[in-house]
């Protein structure tokens, strides 16, 4: 038996803008997805059900890492993440499955993080009609703070290049780690869930429609990319006050693009008096917001009073790992 786990993620800067080639910054959070492999009778299974076309991520990883001739096992999944809330749950699942299968098939103690990240990214694309950013899968694999861009960035440590043949042509990303100083450990992220399903595709299409009607709003997209670069630098320098200020500005830009909603606005407003900055995270239209705070208890209580469910996490949890 082997168990692997991988963290969820929150995007601090760059959601929506990353669709248009701008950089994005994400952090791994303490809430994780775990996968346990156990021998079973018959055929491979995922959470008790046969491993078939209903599980495209797992089927792809299984085919790449162990194949159909392997001894059948059951993959049991547990998750600490809010479902369908823009927290990278499918990427964390792919990374955890990849790590568990790699460890079981090779028996080695060291995980090849780049290979896991690559396979998890392709698995995401297989399940999403050939389109997937490597942001979620890289964060689930590497942990910490990740900066994804179309170029090498000076404010972070380059890790690897990701390419993908999409229906729109080849895409290329440069994946970096942002090294967080010890002073950042004095702060927390409080994630607040609205409980509303976050419709990523609809929100992306909504922004695309607005930009088509109002092309001058591309200036907002460019500014969001600037905030990602400045925010990565602020995090690397341990400047929490500046990071929070940039988060507030990022939220204003996202709201201006029409991807916020009354529930998100209520939770952001509730969090701000006790936090350094607060914003929606992910696609918007529901899903989650997050607040950067040195008063996590007070901020969590305020978000709960506003009607949200909360997860309190440090910034930059560990990446994919073998638990046992």
């Amino acid at each position: 038996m082997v168990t692997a786990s991988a963290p969820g993620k929150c995007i601090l800067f760059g959601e929506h803008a990353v669709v248009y080639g701008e950089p994005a910054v994400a952090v791994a959070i303490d809430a994780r997805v775990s996968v346990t492999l156990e021998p079973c009778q018959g055929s491979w299974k995922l959470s008790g059900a046969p491993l078939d076309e209903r599980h495209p991520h797992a089927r792809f990883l299984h085919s790449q890492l162990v194949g159909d001739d392997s001894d059948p096992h059951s993959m049991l999944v547990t998750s600490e993440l809010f479902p369908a809330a823009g927290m990278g749950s499918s990427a964390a699942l792919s990374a955890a499955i990849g790590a568990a299968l790699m460890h079981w098939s090779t028996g080695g103690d060291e995980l090849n993080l780049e290979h896991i990240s690559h396979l998890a990214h392709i698995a995401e694309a297989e399940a999403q009609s050939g389109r997937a950013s490597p942001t979620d899968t890289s964060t689930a694999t590497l942990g910490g703070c990740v900066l994804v861009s179309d170029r090498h960035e000076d404010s972070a440590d380059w890790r690897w290049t990701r390419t993908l043949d999409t229906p729109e042509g080849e895409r290329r990303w440069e994946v970096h780690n942002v090294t967080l100083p010890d002073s950042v450990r004095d702060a927390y992220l409080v994630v607040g869930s609205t409980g509303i399903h976050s419709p990523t595709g609809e929100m992306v299409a909504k922004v695309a429609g607005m930009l088509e009607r109002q092309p001058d709003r591309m200036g907002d997209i460019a500014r969001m990319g600037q905030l990602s670069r400045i925010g990565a630098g602020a995090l690397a320098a341990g400047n929490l006050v500046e990071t929070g200020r940039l988060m507030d500005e990022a939220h204003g830009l996202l709201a201006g693009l029409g991807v916020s909603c009354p529930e998100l606005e209520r939770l952001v407003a509730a969090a701000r008096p006790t936090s350094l900055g607060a914003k929606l995270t992910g696609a918007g239209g529901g899903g989650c917001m997050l607040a950067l705070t040195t008063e996590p208890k007070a901020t969590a209580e305020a978000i709960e009073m506003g009607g949200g469910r909360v997860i309190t996490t440090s910034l930059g949890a560990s990446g994919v790992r073998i638990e046992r």
Side-chain angles (χ1 to χ4, degrees):
M1 186 174 72
V2 59
T3 297
S5 75
K9 69 91 179 65
C10 286
I11 295 180
L12 289 180
F13 303 104
E15 52 268 270
H16 288 288
V18 72
V19 176
Y20 300 92
E22 299 293 345
V25 177
V27 292
I29 63 174
D30 292 330
R32 305 179 73 86
V33 174
S34 298
V35 174
T36 297
L37 296 184
E38 293 183 345
C40 69
Q41 298 296 316
S43 61
W44 280 79
K45 298 177 178 62
L46 179 64
S47 294
L51 191 61
D52 56 25
E53 62 275 2
R54 293 171 296 177
H55 312 117
H57 301 75
R59 276 175 57 85
F60 174 80
L61 292 161
H62 173 265
S63 69
Q64 294 295 308
L65 289 167
V66 297
D68 291 332
D69 293 333
S70 56
D71 294 335
H73 280 64
S74 179
M75 294 185 267
L76 307 176
V77 179
T78 58
S79 177
E80 300 169 335
L81 297 170
F82 298 131
M87 301 180 75
S89 58
S90 67
L93 175 62
S94 293
I97 289 175
L101 292 175
M102 180 180 290
H103 181 78
W104 174 73
S105 63
T106 65
D109 293 330
E110 293 295 324
L111 293 175
N112 185 332
L113 296 183
E114 184 170 5
H115 192 47
I116 291 171
S117 174
H118 168 70
L119 290 179
H121 182 212
I122 301 303
E124 291 284 289
E126 290 275 322
Q128 297 176 30
S129 303
R131 302 175 181 89
S133 160
T135 304
D136 288 11
T137 47
S138 294
T139 307
T141 306
L142 290 170
C145 181
V146 170
L147 170 63
V148 176
S149 180
D150 62 348
R151 68 189 77 167
H152 285 244
E153 300 285 349
D154 294 335
S155 60
D157 300 319
W158 180 83
R159 294 298 300 262
W160 51 61
T161 299
R162 283 284 166 266
T163 59
L164 184 67
D165 288 324
T166 76
E168 293 75 32
E170 186 181 78
R171 292 287 310 278
R172 180 187 181 96
W173 299 268
E174 305 297 341
V175 178
H176 310 71
N177 263 141
V178 179
T179 301
L180 300 177
D182 289 342
S183 58
V184 170
R185 309 304 175 190
D186 295 333
Y188 296 83
L189 289 176
V190 180
V191 184
S193 171
T194 63
I196 301 170
H197 173 62
S198 180
T200 300
E202 292 179 22
M203 292 295 103
V204 170
K206 182 176 182 178
V207 171
M210 170 180 281
L211 294 174
E212 185 175 345
R213 296 188 304 272
Q214 303 177 48
D216 59 306
R217 299 298 294 273
M218 282 301 297
D220 291 344
I221 296 294
R223 177 57 181 166
M224 290 164 68
Q226 291 176 341
L227 294 182
S228 292
R229 291 190 170 95
I230 299 169
L235 284 165
N239 191 337
L240 297 172
V241 172
E242 176 69 357
T243 302
R245 184 192 70 78
L246 295 169
M247 289 171 61
D248 286 343
E249 182 179 348
H251 179 78
L253 291 168
L254 289 163
L257 291 175
V259 298
S260 189
C261 65
E263 293 82 1
L264 283 168
E265 291 298 316
R266 182 170 64 248
L267 298 187
V268 167
R272 282 204 168 136
T274 59
S275 66
L276 300 169
K279 61 182 286 292
L280 69 84
T281 182
C288 295
M289 52 72 65
L290 74 165
L292 178 67
T293 180
T294 55
E295 303 177 58
K297 185 174 184 293
T299 303
E301 288 174 350
I303 292 171
E304 288 175 334
M305 288 292 291
R309 295 172 56 207
V310 301
I311 292 174
T312 299
T313 174
S314 59
L315 277 77
S318 60
V320 68
R321 66 193 184 207
I322 299 299
E323 303 289 354
R324 65 175 185 270

